[in-house]
Amino acid sequence: MNAVREAWTDDRIDDLAHRMDTGFDRVDRDIREVRAEMRAGFATVDARFDSMNDAFNARFDSMNDSVNARFDSANDSVNARFDAVNSRFDAMTARLESLQRTMLRVGGGLAAVVLASILANHL
């Protein structure tokens, strides 16, 4: 073991320290390059995402307008149908009221005839 310790001189330790510093400098430089590449890659992805997001929003807005127009058209059609149904109910209501008036007149006339008949038989 003493032979190994004697082989480590100050010059060899300085040389090892210098090689380690050089190696760590290279690793630090490589890490900085990787970080720069990653930042550039993320910037590219962000730009593509923003572009896709803008395209998606534009397409969604145009689809939204189309869907709104279709719903408005369907709503107008439904409203027209309900208006037609309401007018038919109004016509039916008018006919029923007319029938009710006729029934009251006929019933009143029959009651008057029956009353007159009873009075004619008793007098």
Side-chain angles (χ1 to χ4, degrees):
M1 219 171 299
N2 285 341
V4 174
R5 284 187 186 166
E6 290 173 8
W8 283 104
T9 63
D10 286 341
D11 289 335
R12 288 191 67 196
I13 290 175
D14 289 341
D15 184 47
L16 176 62
H18 176 70
R19 284 187 302 165
M20 288 180 65
D21 288 340
T22 303
F24 280 119
D25 288 341
R26 184 182 48 82
V27 170
D28 287 341
R29 186 176 57 249
D30 289 347
I31 289 173
R32 282 190 206 98
E33 288 175 5
V34 169
R35 284 183 181 166
E37 289 174 10
M38 287 178 62
R39 284 187 185 117
F42 284 134
T44 302
V45 169
D46 286 344
R48 288 183 67 192
F49 178 76
D50 289 342
S51 173
M52 289 172 52
N53 193 29
D54 292 343
F56 174 77
N57 285 339
R59 188 169 182 190
F60 182 77
D61 289 343
S62 70
M63 285 177 39
N64 190 27
D65 293 341
S66 172
V67 169
N68 284 340
R70 288 177 66 187
F71 275 118
D72 290 343
S73 174
N75 190 30
D76 293 343
S77 175
V78 168
N79 286 339
R81 285 184 173 181
F82 274 120
D83 289 343
V85 168
N86 284 339
S87 67
R88 290 179 75 185
F89 275 124
D90 291 342
M92 287 177 58
T93 300
R95 288 176 67 189
L96 287 174
E97 288 172 351
S98 173
L99 179 63
Q100 184 180 18
R101 281 191 301 273
T102 302
M103 289 172 62
L104 285 173
R105 287 179 188 153
V106 170
L110 285 174
V113 169
V114 169
L115 186 61
S117 170
I118 292 174
L119 287 176
N121 284 338
H122 282 25
L123 288 176

